[in-house]
């Protein structure tokens, strides 16, 4: 049995140190997974740069971990319905499971949660809370989901971005059979929203991106998008006019805004939906105030929803989509990195490293 566990620790913005920590002692109520892969998302980029997260002290990042249960207490096994050897994906939030919010199903609002997977400082025992490590601790209140062990690691690790697509477009946006949906932002979660919308029968799916995202826009069409358009460059499309044209003025039922930092797409989302339509806001702006015309929201009877993370029902639906084999998800994955390459992996997703073609990037701690 391995006694010391290697982990990538972020000590300050853009600084990762390789450290070793003792393997936790597992009791009747907790467990340990051998991390197979951990996906990287836009918030990892922003946390790595220091734009998000604030001061928390050194911590092990990685909030999309997926792996094989290595040790498990008997009470934990009964509670989670899993066994040693099962493959599971973990949610970020580690709720208390005892407060009113938790007991009525609003565990994401738990006020008593202590950090979470991929965000908890190493000062909090037993240290191994993040997915950028060889092994990861399973708290008695961790939220997990079983995933088919026959899936390739890089495909199984997509449960979170596809779960975001399900949560934001379908569960919050209400996209259903025959609907028109506009997705602003062609990152992996935008592509996840394309998959989710098509999985429930949306008739027209439009996704936007930048000219430099042409490879993502091409991929979106392979995943089922009916229209994939660039909103900048010499052939820039005015998305509001475009949606009006393809719907004969009826506009979209739902718009999902996923762009990081940008203000313009928020107003494009508002203008792209029909009277009584829904706008889902999921793109973080690092605290920036975004000017909007509230009269438009009132006069067009729009519904606004803020998308906070991915909950358990969306994760389960996403895993079902992945396991169905219905979509060519292997085309989403572009880069695989080892544990000592965490910084490069994050920079590759952001475009600071590599040739700018990254879509889904994952870190595999046991990669040779």
């Amino acid at each position: 049995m391995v006694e010391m566990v290697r982990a990538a620790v972020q000590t300050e913005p853009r600084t990762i140190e390789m450290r070793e920590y003792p393997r936790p002692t597992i009791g009747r109520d907790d467990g340990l997974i051998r991390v197979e892969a951990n996906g990287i998302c836009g918030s990892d980029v922003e946390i790595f740069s220091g734009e998000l997260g604030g001061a928390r002290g050194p911590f092990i990042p990685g909030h999309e971990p997926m792996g094989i249960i290595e040790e498990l207490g008997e009470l934990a096994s009964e509670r989670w319905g899993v066994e040693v050897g099962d493959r599971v994906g973990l949610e970020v939030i580690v709720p208390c499971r005892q407060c009113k919010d938790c007991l009525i199903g609003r565990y994401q609002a738990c006020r008593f949660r202590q950090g979470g997977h991929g965000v908890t400082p190493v000062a909090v025992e037993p240290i191994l809370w993040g997915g950028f490590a060889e092994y990861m601790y399973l708290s008695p209140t961790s939220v997990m989901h079983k995933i088919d062990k026959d899936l390739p690691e890089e495909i199984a690790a997509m449960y979170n971005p596809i779960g975001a697509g399900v949560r934001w477009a379908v569960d919050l946006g209400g996209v259903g059979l025959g609907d028109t949906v506009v997705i602003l932002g062609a990152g992996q979660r935008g592509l996840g929203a394309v998959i989710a919308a098509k999985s429930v029968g949306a008739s027209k799916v439009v996704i936007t991106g930048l000219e430099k995202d042409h490879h993502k826009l091409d991929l979106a069409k392979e995943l089922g998008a009916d229209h994939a358009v660039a909103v900048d460059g010499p052939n820039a499309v005015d998305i509001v006019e475009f949606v009006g044209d393809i719907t004969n003025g009826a506009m979209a039922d739902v718009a999902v805004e996923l762009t990081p930092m940008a203000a313009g797409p928020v107003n494009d989302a508002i203008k792209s939906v029909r009277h009584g339509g829904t706008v889902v806001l999921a793109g973080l702006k690092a605290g920036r105030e975004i000017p909007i015309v509230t009269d438009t929201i009132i006069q067009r009877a729009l519904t606004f929803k803020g998308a906070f993370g991915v909950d358990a029902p969306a994760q389960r639906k996403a895993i079902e989509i992945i396991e169905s084999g219905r979509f060519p998800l292997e085309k989403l994955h572009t880069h695989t990195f080892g544990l000592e390459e965490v910084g490069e992996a994050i920079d590759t997703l952001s475009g600071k490293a590599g040739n700018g073609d990254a879509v889904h990037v994952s870190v595999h701690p046991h990669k040779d």
Side-chain angles (χ1 to χ4, degrees), residues 252-271:
D253 299 287
V254 180
V256 185
E257 200 283 319
L258 301 118
T259 65
M261 310 306 171
V266 175
N267 284 292
D268 287 340
I270 293 170
K271 296 173 184 176

Side-chain angles (χ1 to χ4, degrees), residues 70-324:
E70 184 94 355
E71 291 185 62
L72 191 65
E74 61 270 29
L75 294 180
S77 176
E78 182 178 349
R79 182 179 60 254
W80 287 321
V82 296
E83 300 176 350
V84 170
D86 284 344
R87 171 186 272 173
V88 297
L90 298 179
E91 295 190 22
V92 180
I93 290 175
V94 181
C96 76
R97 293 185 183 262
Q98 296 179 358
C99 69
K100 178 181 177 180
D101 284 321
C102 284
L103 292 176
I104 64 175
R106 294 201 305 243
Y107 69 95
Q108 289 190 312
C110 176
R111 291 167 293 163
F112 304 101
R113 67 180 188 265
Q114 306 226 340
H117 294 301
V119 296
T120 300
V122 296
V124 179
E125 295 288 346
I127 301 172
L128 298 175
W129 293 97
F132 294 151
E134 294 173 320
Y135 294 87
M136 187 172 170
Y137 178 65
L138 300 176
S139 162
T141 60
S142 292
V143 182
M144 68 181 65
H145 306 280
K146 288 178 67 173
I147 305 175
D148 187 350
K149 288 172 65 174
D150 292 332
L151 291 169
E153 291 179 1
E154 62 274 12
I155 302 297
M158 294 179 188
Y159 70 92
N160 188 285
I162 296 176
V166 171
R167 170 72 171 160
W168 302 346
V170 178
D171 294 350
L172 293 178
V175 173
L177 185 65
D179 281 347
T180 295
V181 56
V182 177
I183 300 162
L184 297 107
Q188 55 186 301
R189 280 155 181 74
L191 297 173
V194 169
I195 292 168
K198 279 301 180 180
S199 76
V200 296
S203 64
K204 289 187 179 71
V205 175
V206 184
I207 187 168
T208 71
L210 302 178
E211 187 177 34
K212 67 183 176 111
D213 296 328
H214 63 88
H215 60 293
K216 298 177 184 176
L217 296 174
D218 291 342
L219 177 56
K221 298 190 78 171
E222 292 188 66
L223 294 170
D226 300 280
H227 305 278
V229 298
V231 292
D232 69 341
N235 299 309
V237 170
D238 183 308
I239 189 59
V240 178
E241 291 182 4
F242 184 83
V243 173
D245 289 343
I246 65 170
T247 62
N248 295 318
M251 308 308 286
D253 299 287
V254 180
V256 185
E257 200 283 319
L258 301 118
T259 65
M261 310 306 171
V266 175
N267 284 292
D268 287 340
I270 293 170
K271 296 173 184 176
S272 294
V273 293
R274 61 171 171 78
H275 186 277
T278 298
V279 175
V280 179
L281 300 179
L284 292 172
K285 312 301 182 186
R288 292 178 59 196
E289 293 187 6
I290 307 299
I292 59 175
V293 180
T294 56
D295 284 359
T296 302
I297 299 170
I298 296 167
Q299 291 165 357
R300 298 180 65 191
L302 303 184
T303 296
F304 264 64
K305 293 190 177 180
F308 175 76
V310 187
D311 64 2
Q315 299 280 21
R316 288 195 295 269
K317 292 173 191 174
I319 290 169
E320 288 173 4
I321 290 171
I322 294 170
E323 293 177 345
S324 75

